[in-house]
Amino acid sequence: MGTTLCLASRERPSLTDPARSPFAISELTVSYGEKPAVLSIDATVPAGSMTAIIGPNGAGKSTLLKAALGMVPRLSGAVTVYGEPVEKSLHRIAYVPQRASVDWDFPTRVIDVVLMGLYRELGLLRPVRARHRERALACLERVGMADFAARQIGQLSGGQQQRVFLARALAQDAELYLLDEPFAGVDAATERAIITVLKDLNAEGRTVICVHHDLATVADYFDHVLLINVRKVAEGPVATAFTPENLQKTYGGRLATAHIDQLKLPAA
Amino acid sequence: MGSEFVQLSLTPMLIGILAAIACALPGNFLVLRRQALIGDAISHVVLPGIVAAFLITGSVSTWPMLLGAAGAAVVAVVLIEAIKRLGRIEPGAAMGVVFTSLFAAGVLLLEQSDTSSVHLDVEHALYGNLESLIWFAAEDWSSLVDSAALRELPPELFRMAGAAFVIALLTLIFWRPLKLSTFDEAFARAVGIPTVAVSLGLVIVSAVAAVAAFDAVGSIIVIAMFICPPAAARLMTNRLERQVFWSIVFATLSAVLGYVLAGYGPLWLGGEHAVSAAGMIATVSGLILALAALFGPHRSRIGAPTGS
């Protein structure tokens, strides 16, 4: 924990107190083989924020989320959700994996995928009732996919697949939304639909964290950023942390200065 | 179709059907997880375990065989991991090396040991002894309600029925975690499903199916039934629930048609001897898969490389 965090916590104690944060990680280290993918990262995401996790390819953004949720073994580090260990808080979290991580040829329909979001309620054997279907349909409605409920998922475009994944997360009715690259490879209409839903979720008081790759939209979509490249580079409100210097540090030589200048950066 | 059928064909056919279904049920998930070869691997790997168990206990009863098979499976997993790490080669190759070597070791072990007193030999390991599982005590259909005759039913029938029942029950109970973790493992983990345990459970259930079926029908049917009926079923529908239903239909059809064709087909064609029922059942399941691939309603895959 650096001095910045201590300062920040004095200014806004309720937001950056790890015990109240919807997502706080400390000293998180993950390694595939010999090279660390994530090295000793601390982060305290403020409650009610729209947070982007930003960094170059291979910076460990997705790994950070997966390790935090226990899908990838952590070498060290602790993750808490509202002060509780993440393992005990899965019911408060909705996770949207990368679209490309599943086989869309799987024999199932759109509505069945959304119903998977109700797994914690339905458990092993409780039957799916009309009210569950209605809820799933309402979630599809929210992402503009209600007409596709009976389609086989392989018949969807990439953007439609992403919306179905979001609908499944909506069905979970969680407090914390973790999304891995929700805007990757989607059409403009889908991007608008997704950001609208995410902002609505945020307006309802839920915390949204996205692994995000498009620097041009960061300032429009998010209010908090975590810049990482294996290690943490910066964390904080977009206005103070999403700066050309920090981006240069995050991306190194991979991001030309001219490119940074074109970005919609917050006025310094 | 009277007394002769009940005495000679009814029980082998039932055992064939039950074995086919017991393997096809977990096969659906193995195929969707792109782990279809695990069924193949298991059925090969269990052979040395079963032979070793026989050599130690001197009997072919169920529990020693199951334990032997499970032990062999554990050895195989450890070997595959070791070869993968030490040899730095891809898992498929490690698997291929381990399961063929273990099967070969099983064959050698079998040839060297004195198994003449029991139905345990190389041929039996491949084809089983389906045709010999006849119901001596049966007179005709009325034997089905004759308790004395029913007691004389071949024990393989009960063993196979028990295994098929347990596997069907487990598939029903764990349907949701199985489906969810097969489709989207990351999401399944995030909602608290122990996906590693689910995968392991699936492999264990497959091993139980393989071992139970192995004794009665041999490894050829086991390998074919893990893959052919589920793969054909996938081409018939776009819903997992229906796919599993179709796989049961195809497994049953393969067993019945295969048994009848093996027994009577060569005679109809002017031949003198019946052919191996196990071989014919596996062949029929392959033909069904070929027909489904040619005419199945969902044979064009949206996710295929050409389509995207």
Coordinates of all heavy atoms in Angstrom, one line a residue, chain A residues 44-117:
Chain A
T44 N -8.1 -1.1 -4.3 CA -9.3 -0.9 -3.5 C -10.3 -0.2 -4.3 O -10.2 1.0 -4.5 CB -9.0 -0.2 -2.2 OG1 -8.0 -0.8 -1.5 CG2 -10.3 -0.2 -1.3
V45 N -11.3 -0.9 -4.9 CA -12.2 -0.3 -5.8 C -13.3 0.3 -4.9 O -13.9 -0.3 -4.1 CB -12.8 -1.4 -6.7 CG1 -14.0 -0.8 -7.5 CG2 -11.7 -1.9 -7.6
P46 N -13.6 1.6 -5.1 CA -14.6 2.3 -4.3 C -16.0 1.8 -4.6 O -16.3 1.4 -5.8 CB -14.5 3.8 -4.8 CG -13.3 3.9 -5.6 CD -13.0 2.5 -6.1
A47 N -16.8 1.7 -3.6 CA -18.2 1.2 -3.8 C -19.0 2.2 -4.7 O -18.8 3.4 -4.6 CB -18.9 1.2 -2.4
G48 N -19.8 1.6 -5.6 CA -20.6 2.5 -6.5 C -19.8 3.1 -7.6 O -20.3 3.9 -8.3
S49 N -18.6 2.6 -7.9 CA -17.8 3.1 -8.9 C -18.0 2.3 -10.2 O -18.5 1.2 -10.2 CB -16.3 3.1 -8.6 OG -15.8 1.8 -8.6
M50 N -17.6 3.0 -11.3 CA -17.5 2.3 -12.6 C -16.0 2.3 -12.9 O -15.4 3.3 -13.2 CB -18.1 3.1 -13.7 CG -19.6 3.1 -13.8 SD -20.2 1.6 -14.7 CE -20.0 2.1 -16.4
T51 N -15.4 1.1 -12.7 CA -13.9 1.0 -12.7 C -13.5 0.2 -14.0 O -14.0 -0.8 -14.3 CB -13.4 0.3 -11.4 OG1 -13.7 1.1 -10.3 CG2 -11.9 0.1 -11.5
A52 N -12.4 0.8 -14.6 CA -11.8 0.1 -15.7 C -10.5 -0.4 -15.3 O -9.7 0.3 -14.6 CB -11.7 1.1 -16.9
I53 N -10.2 -1.7 -15.7 CA -8.8 -2.2 -15.5 C -8.2 -2.1 -16.9 O -8.6 -2.7 -17.8 CB -8.9 -3.7 -15.0 CG1 -9.6 -3.8 -13.7 CG2 -7.5 -4.2 -14.8 CD1 -9.8 -5.2 -13.2
I54 N -7.1 -1.4 -16.9 CA -6.5 -1.0 -18.2 C -5.0 -1.5 -18.2 O -4.3 -1.4 -17.2 CB -6.6 0.5 -18.5 CG1 -8.1 0.8 -18.6 CG2 -5.8 0.9 -19.7 CD1 -8.3 2.3 -18.5
G55 N -4.6 -1.9 -19.4 CA -3.2 -2.3 -19.5 C -3.0 -3.0 -20.9 O -4.0 -3.4 -21.5
P56 N -1.7 -3.1 -21.3 CA -1.5 -3.7 -22.6 C -1.8 -5.2 -22.6 O -2.1 -5.8 -21.5 CB 0.0 -3.5 -22.8 CG 0.6 -3.3 -21.5 CD -0.5 -2.7 -20.6
N57 N -1.8 -5.8 -23.8 CA -2.0 -7.3 -23.9 C -1.0 -8.0 -23.0 O 0.2 -7.6 -23.0 CB -1.9 -7.8 -25.3 CG -3.0 -7.3 -26.2 OD1 -4.1 -7.1 -25.7 ND2 -2.8 -7.1 -27.5
G58 N -1.4 -9.0 -22.3 CA -0.4 -9.8 -21.5 C -0.1 -9.1 -20.2 O 0.8 -9.5 -19.5
A59 N -0.8 -8.0 -19.9 CA -0.5 -7.3 -18.6 C -1.1 -7.9 -17.4 O -0.8 -7.5 -16.3 CB -1.1 -5.8 -18.7
G60 N -2.0 -9.0 -17.6 CA -2.5 -9.7 -16.5 C -3.9 -9.2 -16.1 O -4.3 -9.5 -15.0
K61 N -4.6 -8.5 -17.0 CA -5.9 -7.9 -16.6 C -6.9 -9.0 -16.3 O -7.6 -9.1 -15.3 CB -6.4 -7.0 -17.7 CG -5.5 -5.9 -18.1 CD -6.1 -5.0 -19.2 CE -6.4 -5.6 -20.5 NZ -5.2 -5.9 -21.3
S62 N -7.1 -9.9 -17.3 CA -8.0 -11.0 -17.1 C -7.6 -11.9 -16.0 O -8.4 -12.4 -15.2 CB -8.2 -11.8 -18.4 OG -8.6 -11.0 -19.5
T63 N -6.3 -12.2 -16.0 CA -5.7 -13.0 -14.9 C -6.1 -12.5 -13.5 O -6.4 -13.2 -12.6 CB -4.2 -13.2 -15.1 OG1 -4.0 -13.7 -16.4 CG2 -3.6 -14.2 -14.1
L64 N -6.0 -11.2 -13.4 CA -6.3 -10.5 -12.1 C -7.7 -10.9 -11.7 O -7.9 -11.3 -10.6 CB -6.1 -9.0 -12.3 CG -6.5 -8.2 -11.1 CD1 -5.2 -8.1 -10.2 CD2 -6.9 -6.8 -11.4
L65 N -8.7 -10.8 -12.6 CA -10.1 -11.1 -12.3 C -10.2 -12.6 -12.0 O -10.8 -12.9 -11.0 CB -11.0 -10.8 -13.5 CG -11.4 -9.3 -13.7 CD1 -12.6 -9.3 -14.6 CD2 -11.8 -8.7 -12.3
K66 N -9.6 -13.4 -12.8 CA -9.8 -14.8 -12.6 C -9.1 -15.3 -11.3 O -9.7 -16.1 -10.6 CB -9.1 -15.6 -13.8 CG -9.9 -15.5 -15.0 CD -9.3 -16.4 -16.1 CE -10.0 -16.2 -17.5 NZ -9.1 -16.6 -18.6
A67 N -8.0 -14.7 -11.0 CA -7.3 -15.1 -9.8 C -8.1 -14.6 -8.6 O -8.2 -15.3 -7.6 CB -5.9 -14.5 -9.7
A68 N -8.7 -13.4 -8.7 CA -9.5 -12.8 -7.6 C -10.7 -13.7 -7.3 O -11.1 -13.9 -6.2 CB -9.9 -11.4 -8.0
L69 N -11.2 -14.3 -8.4 CA -12.4 -15.2 -8.2 C -12.0 -16.7 -7.9 O -12.9 -17.5 -7.8 CB -13.3 -15.2 -9.4 CG -14.0 -13.8 -9.6 CD1 -14.7 -13.8 -11.0 CD2 -15.1 -13.7 -8.5
G70 N -10.7 -16.9 -7.8 CA -10.3 -18.3 -7.5 C -10.2 -19.2 -8.7 O -10.2 -20.5 -8.5
M71 N -10.3 -18.7 -9.9 CA -10.3 -19.6 -11.1 C -8.9 -20.0 -11.4 O -8.6 -21.0 -12.1 CB -11.0 -19.0 -12.3 CG -12.4 -18.8 -12.1 SD -13.0 -17.6 -13.3 CE -14.5 -17.1 -12.5
V72 N -8.0 -19.1 -11.1 CA -6.6 -19.3 -11.3 C -5.9 -19.3 -10.0 O -6.2 -18.4 -9.2 CB -6.0 -18.2 -12.2 CG1 -4.5 -18.3 -12.3 CG2 -6.7 -18.2 -13.6
P73 N -5.0 -20.2 -9.6 CA -4.5 -20.2 -8.3 C -3.6 -19.0 -8.0 O -2.9 -18.5 -8.9 CB -3.6 -21.5 -8.3 CG -3.5 -22.0 -9.7 CD -4.6 -21.4 -10.4
R74 N -3.8 -18.4 -6.8 CA -3.0 -17.3 -6.4 C -1.8 -17.8 -5.7 O -1.8 -18.6 -4.9 CB -3.8 -16.4 -5.4 CG -5.2 -16.0 -5.9 CD -5.7 -14.9 -5.0 NE -6.4 -15.3 -3.8 CZ -7.7 -15.5 -3.6 NH1 -8.5 -15.3 -4.6 NH2 -8.2 -15.9 -2.5
L75 N -0.6 -17.2 -6.1 CA 0.6 -17.5 -5.4 C 0.5 -16.8 -4.0 O 1.0 -17.4 -3.0 CB 1.8 -16.9 -6.1 CG 2.5 -17.9 -7.1 CD1 3.8 -17.3 -7.6 CD2 2.8 -19.2 -6.4
S76 N 0.0 -15.6 -3.9 CA -0.1 -15.0 -2.7 C -1.2 -13.9 -2.8 O -1.6 -13.6 -3.9 CB 1.2 -14.3 -2.2 OG 1.5 -13.3 -3.1
G77 N -1.6 -13.3 -1.7 CA -2.5 -12.2 -1.8 C -3.9 -12.6 -1.3 O -4.2 -13.7 -1.2
A78 N -4.6 -11.5 -0.9 CA -6.0 -11.7 -0.4 C -7.0 -10.9 -1.1 O -6.6 -9.8 -1.6 CB -6.0 -11.4 1.1
V79 N -8.2 -11.4 -1.3 CA -9.2 -10.6 -2.0 C -10.4 -10.6 -1.1 O -10.9 -11.6 -0.6 CB -9.6 -11.3 -3.3 CG1 -10.6 -10.5 -4.1 CG2 -8.3 -11.5 -4.2
T80 N -10.9 -9.4 -0.9 CA -12.1 -9.3 -0.1 C -13.2 -8.6 -0.9 O -13.0 -7.7 -1.7 CB -11.9 -8.5 1.2 OG1 -11.3 -7.3 0.9 CG2 -10.9 -9.3 2.1
V81 N -14.5 -9.0 -0.6 CA -15.6 -8.4 -1.2 C -16.5 -7.8 -0.1 O -16.9 -8.6 0.8 CB -16.4 -9.4 -2.1 CG1 -17.7 -8.8 -2.5 CG2 -15.6 -9.8 -3.2
Y82 N -16.6 -6.5 0.0 CA -17.3 -5.9 1.2 C -16.7 -6.4 2.5 O -17.4 -6.7 3.5 CB -18.8 -6.1 1.2 CG -19.4 -5.5 0.0 CD1 -19.8 -6.3 -1.1 CD2 -19.7 -4.1 -0.1 CE1 -20.4 -5.7 -2.2 CE2 -20.3 -3.5 -1.2 CZ -20.6 -4.3 -2.3 OH -21.2 -3.8 -3.4
G83 N -15.4 -6.6 2.5 CA -14.7 -7.0 3.7 C -14.7 -8.5 4.0 O -14.0 -8.9 4.9
E84 N -15.5 -9.2 3.3 CA -15.5 -10.7 3.5 C -14.6 -11.4 2.4 O -14.4 -10.9 1.3 CB -16.9 -11.2 3.2 CG -18.0 -10.7 4.3 CD -18.0 -11.6 5.5 OE1 -17.9 -12.9 5.3 OE2 -18.0 -11.1 6.6
P85 N -14.1 -12.6 2.8 CA -13.3 -13.3 1.8 C -14.1 -13.6 0.5 O -15.3 -13.9 0.7 CB -12.9 -14.6 2.5 CG -13.1 -14.3 3.9 CD -14.1 -13.3 4.1
V86 N -13.5 -13.5 -0.6 CA -14.3 -13.6 -1.9 C -15.0 -14.9 -2.0 O -16.1 -15.0 -2.5 CB -13.3 -13.4 -3.1 CG1 -12.3 -14.4 -3.2 CG2 -14.1 -13.2 -4.4
E87 N -14.4 -16.0 -1.4 CA -15.0 -17.3 -1.5 C -16.4 -17.4 -0.9 O -17.3 -18.1 -1.3 CB -14.1 -18.4 -0.9 CG -12.8 -18.6 -1.6 CD -11.8 -17.6 -1.3 OE1 -11.9 -16.8 -0.3 OE2 -10.8 -17.5 -2.0
K88 N -16.6 -16.5 0.2 CA -17.9 -16.5 0.9 C -18.8 -15.4 0.2 O -19.9 -15.3 0.7 CB -17.7 -16.1 2.3 CG -17.0 -17.2 3.1 CD -16.9 -16.8 4.6 CE -16.1 -17.8 5.4 NZ -15.7 -17.3 6.7
S89 N -18.4 -14.8 -0.8 CA -19.2 -13.6 -1.3 C -19.6 -13.9 -2.7 O -20.1 -12.9 -3.4 CB -18.3 -12.4 -1.2 OG -17.8 -12.2 0.0
L90 N -19.5 -15.1 -3.2 CA -19.8 -15.3 -4.6 C -21.2 -14.9 -5.0 O -21.5 -14.5 -6.1 CB -19.6 -16.8 -5.0 CG -18.1 -17.2 -5.0 CD1 -18.0 -18.7 -5.2 CD2 -17.3 -16.4 -5.9
H91 N -22.1 -15.0 -4.0 CA -23.5 -14.7 -4.3 C -23.7 -13.2 -4.5 O -24.8 -12.8 -5.0 CB -24.4 -15.1 -3.1 CG -24.0 -14.5 -1.8 ND1 -22.9 -14.8 -1.1 CD2 -24.6 -13.4 -1.1 CE1 -22.8 -14.1 0.0 NE2 -23.8 -13.2 0.0
R92 N -22.7 -12.4 -4.2 CA -22.8 -10.9 -4.4 C -22.2 -10.5 -5.7 O -22.2 -9.3 -6.0 CB -22.2 -10.2 -3.2 CG -22.7 -10.6 -1.9 CD -21.9 -9.9 -0.8 NE -22.5 -8.6 -0.4 CZ -22.2 -8.0 0.7 NH1 -21.4 -8.5 1.6 NH2 -22.8 -6.8 0.9
I93 N -21.6 -11.4 -6.4 CA -20.8 -11.1 -7.6 C -21.5 -11.7 -8.9 O -21.9 -12.9 -8.8 CB -19.4 -11.7 -7.5 CG1 -18.7 -11.2 -6.2 CG2 -18.5 -11.4 -8.7 CD1 -17.4 -11.9 -5.9
A94 N -21.5 -10.9 -9.9 CA -21.8 -11.5 -11.2 C -20.6 -11.3 -12.1 O -20.0 -10.2 -12.2 CB -23.0 -10.7 -11.9
Y95 N -20.2 -12.4 -12.7 CA -18.9 -12.4 -13.5 C -19.3 -12.7 -15.0 O -20.0 -13.6 -15.3 CB -18.0 -13.5 -13.0 CG -16.8 -13.8 -13.8 CD1 -15.8 -12.8 -14.1 CD2 -16.6 -15.0 -14.4 CE1 -14.7 -13.1 -14.9 CE2 -15.5 -15.3 -15.2 CZ -14.5 -14.3 -15.4 OH -13.5 -14.6 -16.2
V96 N -18.8 -11.9 -15.9 CA -19.0 -12.1 -17.3 C -17.7 -12.4 -17.9 O -16.8 -11.6 -18.1 CB -19.6 -10.8 -18.0 CG1 -19.8 -11.1 -19.4 CG2 -20.9 -10.5 -17.3
P97 N -17.5 -13.7 -18.3 CA -16.2 -14.1 -18.9 C -16.0 -13.5 -20.3 O -17.0 -13.0 -20.9 CB -16.2 -15.6 -18.9 CG -17.6 -16.0 -18.6 CD -18.4 -14.8 -18.2
Q98 N -14.8 -13.7 -20.8 CA -14.7 -13.3 -22.2 C -15.5 -14.1 -23.1 O -15.6 -15.3 -22.9 CB -13.2 -13.4 -22.6 CG -12.3 -12.3 -22.2 CD -10.9 -12.4 -22.6 OE1 -10.6 -13.0 -23.6 NE2 -10.0 -11.8 -21.9
R99 N -16.1 -13.5 -24.1 CA -17.0 -14.2 -25.0 C -16.3 -15.4 -25.7 O -16.9 -16.4 -25.9 CB -17.5 -13.2 -26.0 CG -18.5 -13.7 -27.0 CD -19.1 -12.5 -27.8 NE -18.1 -11.6 -28.3 CZ -17.5 -11.8 -29.5 NH1 -17.8 -12.8 -30.2 NH2 -16.6 -11.0 -29.9
A100 N -15.1 -15.2 -26.0 CA -14.4 -16.2 -26.8 C -14.0 -17.4 -25.9 O -13.4 -18.4 -26.4 CB -13.1 -15.6 -27.4
S101 N -14.3 -17.3 -24.6 CA -13.8 -18.4 -23.7 C -14.8 -19.6 -23.8 O -14.5 -20.6 -23.2 CB -13.7 -17.9 -22.3 OG -15.0 -17.6 -21.8
V102 N -15.9 -19.5 -24.4 CA -16.8 -20.6 -24.5 C -17.1 -21.1 -25.9 O -16.8 -20.3 -26.8 CB -18.2 -20.4 -23.8 CG1 -18.0 -19.8 -22.4 CG2 -19.0 -19.4 -24.6
D103 N -17.6 -22.3 -26.0 CA -17.9 -22.9 -27.3 C -19.3 -22.5 -27.7 O -20.2 -23.1 -27.1 CB -17.7 -24.4 -27.3 CG -18.1 -25.1 -28.5 OD1 -18.4 -24.4 -29.5 OD2 -18.3 -26.3 -28.5
W104 N -19.5 -21.6 -28.6 CA -20.9 -21.2 -28.9 C -21.7 -22.2 -29.7 O -22.8 -22.0 -30.1 CB -20.9 -19.8 -29.6 CG -20.5 -18.8 -28.6 CD1 -19.2 -18.3 -28.3 CD2 -21.3 -18.1 -27.7 NE1 -19.2 -17.4 -27.3 CE2 -20.5 -17.2 -26.9 CE3 -22.7 -18.1 -27.4 CZ2 -21.0 -16.4 -25.9 CZ3 -23.2 -17.3 -26.4 CH2 -22.4 -16.4 -25.7
D105 N -21.0 -23.3 -30.1 CA -21.7 -24.3 -30.8 C -22.4 -25.3 -29.8 O -23.1 -26.2 -30.1 CB -20.7 -25.1 -31.6 CG -21.3 -26.0 -32.6 OD1 -22.4 -25.5 -33.2 OD2 -20.8 -27.0 -33.0
F106 N -22.3 -25.0 -28.5 CA -22.9 -25.8 -27.4 C -24.4 -25.9 -27.7 O -25.1 -24.9 -28.0 CB -22.6 -25.2 -26.1 CG -23.0 -26.1 -24.9 CD1 -22.1 -27.0 -24.5 CD2 -24.2 -25.9 -24.3 CE1 -22.4 -27.8 -23.4 CE2 -24.5 -26.7 -23.2 CZ -23.6 -27.7 -22.8
P107 N -25.0 -27.1 -27.5 CA -26.4 -27.2 -27.8 C -27.3 -26.6 -26.7 O -27.8 -27.4 -25.9 CB -26.6 -28.8 -27.9 CG -25.5 -29.3 -27.1 CD -24.4 -28.4 -27.2
T108 N -27.6 -25.4 -26.8 CA -28.5 -24.8 -25.9 C -29.1 -23.5 -26.5 O -28.5 -22.9 -27.4 CB -27.8 -24.5 -24.5 OG1 -28.8 -24.3 -23.5 CG2 -26.9 -23.3 -24.6
R109 N -30.1 -23.0 -25.8 CA -30.8 -21.8 -26.4 C -30.5 -20.6 -25.5 O -30.0 -20.7 -24.4 CB -32.3 -22.0 -26.3 CG -32.9 -23.1 -27.2 CD -34.3 -23.3 -26.9 NE -34.6 -23.5 -25.5 CZ -35.8 -23.6 -25.0 NH1 -36.8 -23.5 -25.7 NH2 -35.9 -23.8 -23.7
V110 N -30.7 -19.4 -26.1 CA -30.4 -18.2 -25.5 C -31.1 -18.1 -24.1 O -30.4 -17.8 -23.1 CB -30.9 -17.0 -26.3 CG1 -30.9 -15.7 -25.5 CG2 -30.0 -16.9 -27.6
I111 N -32.3 -18.4 -24.0 CA -33.0 -18.3 -22.7 C -32.4 -19.3 -21.6 O -32.3 -18.9 -20.5 CB -34.5 -18.7 -22.8 CG1 -35.3 -18.4 -21.5 CG2 -34.8 -20.1 -23.3 CD1 -35.8 -17.0 -21.4
D112 N -31.9 -20.4 -22.1 CA -31.3 -21.4 -21.1 C -30.0 -20.8 -20.6 O -29.6 -21.0 -19.4 CB -31.0 -22.7 -21.8 CG -32.2 -23.4 -22.3 OD1 -33.2 -23.3 -21.6 OD2 -32.2 -23.9 -23.5
V113 N -29.2 -20.1 -21.4 CA -28.0 -19.4 -20.9 C -28.4 -18.4 -19.9 O -27.7 -18.3 -18.8 CB -27.2 -18.8 -22.1 CG1 -26.1 -18.0 -21.6 CG2 -26.8 -19.8 -23.1
V114 N -29.4 -17.6 -20.1 CA -29.8 -16.6 -19.1 C -30.2 -17.3 -17.8 O -29.9 -16.8 -16.7 CB -30.9 -15.7 -19.7 CG1 -31.2 -14.6 -18.7 CG2 -30.4 -15.0 -21.0
L115 N -30.9 -18.4 -18.0 CA -31.4 -19.1 -16.8 C -30.2 -19.6 -15.9 O -30.4 -19.9 -14.7 CB -32.3 -20.3 -17.2 CG -33.8 -19.8 -17.5 CD1 -34.5 -21.0 -18.2 CD2 -34.5 -19.3 -16.3
M116 N -29.1 -19.8 -16.6 CA -27.9 -20.3 -15.8 C -27.5 -19.2 -14.8 O -26.9 -19.6 -13.7 CB -26.7 -20.4 -16.8 CG -26.8 -21.6 -17.7 SD -25.4 -21.7 -18.8 CE -25.9 -23.1 -19.8
G117 N -27.9 -18.0 -15.0 CA -27.7 -16.9 -14.0 C -28.5 -17.1 -12.7 O -28.2 -16.5 -11.7

